[in-house]
């Protein structure tokens, strides 16, 4: 298989470009399953999470379909010349940055949130419970909860950092990553429990518990993003 080892500069884009070239040349045909993450990682000399980001970038570009637990398949109607999401941030790097910032936002919100903010937080969590019961994932509710916490942290600079990180979280690559995660039934229940625990700690005015709850939540999501899919 004519793949080349890659070096710096958004590795996932370099990998996606190589696979795109192989699709366009007919090396990988419509409907064909691509080599596994493990095989691609070994061939390219990179980590499996980096390969996963490349595959999801190809999915965002409409070139492959990623089936969690099965693999990636070339789309029958793959569009030659489709643009890869090169401007997007790494989904994994966004999560790493959020893990550094958001636990402290939760602790600060526990100190500063208003009665109105607590009521709004309760409403978002109630909506999430209904969505979880219907086995649905709402990116809008997820965003609303996390940004409400940022809004009530009492620090404008940190609010702006949180908003910047969430803009990255909503880019095509990261959004697709999380959409795949949402299709794992056990994850929906765990995330609901996490959000409930975060909201409860903030509402109770307990900064330490809020910080710990948010840190545990983001650590869990990061681990799920790194878990083996194929």
């Amino acid at each position: 298989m004519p793949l080349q080892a890659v070096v710096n500069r958004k590795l996932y884009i370099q990998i996606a470009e190589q696979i795109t070239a192989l699709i366009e040349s007919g090396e990988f045909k419509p409907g064909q399953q691509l080599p596994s993450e493990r095989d691609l990682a070994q061939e390219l000399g990179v980590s499996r999470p980096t390969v996963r980001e490349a595959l999801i970038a190809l999915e965002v570009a409409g070139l492959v379909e990623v089936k969690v637990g099965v693999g990636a398949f070339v789309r029958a109607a793959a569009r030659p010349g489709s643009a890869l999401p090169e401007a997007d941030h790494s989904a994994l790097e966004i999560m790493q940055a959020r893990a550094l910032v958001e636990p402290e936002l939760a602790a600060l919100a526990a100190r500063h949130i208003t009665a109105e903010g607590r009521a709004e937080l309760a409403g978002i969590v109630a909506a999430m419970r209904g969505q979880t019961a219907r086995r649905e994932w709402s990116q809008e509710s997820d965003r609303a909860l996390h940004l409400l916490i940022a809004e009530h942290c009492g620090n404008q600079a940190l609010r702006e950092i949180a908003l910047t990180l969430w803009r990255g979280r909503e880019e095509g690559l990261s959004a697709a990553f999380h959409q795949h995660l949402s299709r794992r039934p056990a994850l929906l229940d765990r995330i609901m429990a996490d959000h409930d625990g975060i909201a409860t700690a903030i509402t109770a005015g307990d900064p330490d518990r809020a910080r710990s709850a948010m840190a545990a939540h983001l650590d869990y999501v990061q681990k799920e993003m790194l878990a083996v899919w194929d």
Side-chain angles (χ1 to χ4, degrees):
M1 183 166 52
L3 292 169
Q4 304 170 14
V6 295
V7 291
N8 293 326
R9 179 199 151 251
K10 282 195 178 177
L11 292 180
Y12 74 88
I13 288 294
Q14 292 188 60
I15 295 166
E17 287 173 343
Q18 289 193 50
I19 296 174
T20 296
L22 293 173
I23 292 172
E24 292 177 346
S25 71
E27 178 80 17
F28 295 138
K29 303 184 185 307
Q32 181 179 347
Q33 183 172 0
L34 297 180
S36 69
E37 280 183 8
R38 179 183 292 104
D39 289 345
L40 287 170
Q42 290 176 348
E43 184 79 16
L44 292 158
V46 298
S47 69
R48 291 183 67 176
T50 300
V51 170
R52 187 169 309 147
E53 286 195 303
L55 295 176
I56 294 178
L58 290 164
E59 182 180 42
V60 171
L63 293 170
V64 306
E65 179 183 5
V66 176
K67 298 180 180 179
V68 175
V70 181
F73 297 79
V74 179
R75 286 189 179 276
R79 303 183 299 274
S82 297
L84 294 167
E86 187 157 5
D88 286 10
H89 295 81
S90 161
L92 298 172
E93 288 181 357
I94 289 291
M95 277 304 304
Q96 289 168 358
R98 288 181 60 202
L100 291 173
V101 174
E102 292 198 44
E104 196 59 36
L105 290 176
L108 290 169
R111 295 189 180 99
H112 297 290
I113 195 165
T114 62
E116 181 181 351
R118 287 194 291 272
E120 190 174 352
L121 184 59
I124 294 170
V125 172
M128 285 180 156
R129 285 198 194 97
Q131 291 153 0
T132 302
R134 296 190 297 273
R135 315 315 292 164
E136 296 173 356
W137 166 261
S138 172
Q139 185 163 299
E140 292 75 19
S141 293
D142 191 28
R143 180 184 194 276
L145 182 139
H146 285 272
L147 290 186
L148 178 68
I149 291 169
E151 183 63 30
H152 288 275
C153 77
N155 184 305
Q156 182 177 348
L158 286 174
R159 286 200 300 270
E160 291 171 356
I161 290 170
L163 184 57
T164 297
L165 290 174
W166 267 83
R167 290 192 185 110
R169 159 71 175 77
E170 292 168 341
E171 291 169 347
L173 183 68
S174 190
F177 226 121
H178 286 270
Q179 193 62 45
H180 282 301
L181 290 178
S182 74
R183 297 191 181 106
R184 302 178 72 172
L187 184 138
L188 287 177
D189 293 325
R190 168 62 189 267
I191 286 183
M192 182 65 250
D194 283 357
H195 284 154
D196 203 2
I198 293 164
T200 298
I202 290 172
T203 300
D206 188 333
D208 291 338
R209 188 153 57 102
R211 182 187 293 109
S212 296
M214 181 66 81
H217 167 60
L218 295 176
D219 180 64
Y220 170 73
V221 175
Q222 284 191 82
K223 286 178 178 175
E224 286 296 311
M225 292 174 78
L226 295 169
V228 176
W229 284 11
D230 66 7

